[in-house]
Amino acid sequence: MDKFMKAAIEEAQKGLSEGGIPIGSVLVHNGEIIGRGHNRRVQSGSPTLHGEMDALENAGRQSAKVYQESVIYTTLSPCSMCSGAILLYGIPKVIIGENKTFLGEEKLLESRGVECVVLNDATCIEMMESFIKNAPELWNEDIGE
């Protein structure tokens, strides 16, 4: 497994262990992780702190050039909000752990020139299937249903 997806999965597992939703993300620039995060909506009482948003926040302010040279890894297909941030900052590539349990805005991203690579990783799928089965109300809240 790619070391960056492994890091995103570790973030997702950290979120789950904190009582949150198991979605993790890392932002990679020039082969180095510059931001890592996980969905912390529950832990922080935040309506917007998805995994990708947390990774971007933890990367801190970056120049447009850094974002345009970066790759974001996420364990789950990015939602509308996270896809918007990817588009806003011009991140050209998204590596997605899985899109079986939730299909986000991959078509939108691709229509705007973002390369989306879906791994269909068994660990990511099992983690989300188990979470959705065990906490459907929390999952539905996270995706706005």
Side-chain angles (χ1 to χ4, degrees), residues 6 9 17 22-23 29 45 48 58 67 69 92 95 111 117 120 122 135 145:
K6 184 177 179 187
I9 291 170
S17 73
I23 303 169
H29 180 255
T48 58
N58 290 327
Y67 292 120
E69 295 173 344
I95 309 294
S111 77
V117 178
N120 287 318
E145 290 186 6

Side-chain angles (χ1 to χ4, degrees), residues 1-10 73 119 121-124:
M1 175 185 296
D2 177 291
K3 69 180 180 179
F4 301 124
M5 183 52 67
K6 184 177 179 187
I9 291 170
E10 289 169 358
Y73 287 72
L119 303 177
D121 178 80
T123 300
C124 293

Side-chain angles (χ1 to χ4, degrees), residues 53 90 96 108 112 135:
M53 303 301 275
I96 301 164
L108 171 65
R112 299 279 297 274

Side-chain angles (χ1 to χ4, degrees), residues 76-78 99-107:
L76 186 64
S77 184
N99 65 4
K100 179 181 175 195
T101 60
F102 177 79
L103 179 59
E105 297 293 339
E106 294 168 36
K107 287 186 181 186

Side-chain angles (χ1 to χ4, degrees), residues 6-121:
K6 184 177 179 187
I9 291 170
E10 289 169 358
E11 285 293 323
Q13 292 167 333
K14 183 177 180 183
L16 184 62
S17 73
E18 294 171 351
I21 298 161
I23 303 169
S25 182
V26 295
L27 183 64
V28 177
H29 180 255
N30 290 335
E32 298 291 327
I33 295 174
I34 61 170
R36 59 176 60 233
H38 52 276
N39 186 306
R40 293 191 308 121
R41 289 184 64 251
V42 173
Q43 301 91 311
S44 298
S46 168
T48 58
L49 207 46
H50 284 192
E52 298 92 335
M53 303 301 275
D54 194 36
L56 289 167
E57 178 71 20
N58 290 327
R61 289 179 59 195
Q62 301 294 328
S63 70
K65 185 176 192 291
V66 168
Y67 292 120
Q68 294 163 3
E69 295 173 344
S70 293
V71 177
I72 193 162
Y73 287 72
T74 180
T75 58
L76 186 64
S77 184
C79 72
S80 300
M81 177 179 62
C82 296
S83 294
I86 291 164
L87 292 173
L88 177 67
Y89 292 110
I91 299 169
K93 187 172 184 177
V94 183
I95 309 294
I96 301 164
E98 67 103 348
N99 65 4
K100 179 181 175 195
T101 60
F102 177 79
L103 179 59
E105 297 293 339
E106 294 168 36
K107 287 186 181 186
L108 171 65
L109 291 168
E110 290 170 339
S111 77
R112 299 279 297 274
V114 177
E115 180 184 359
C116 294
V117 178
V118 181
L119 303 177
N120 287 318
D121 178 80

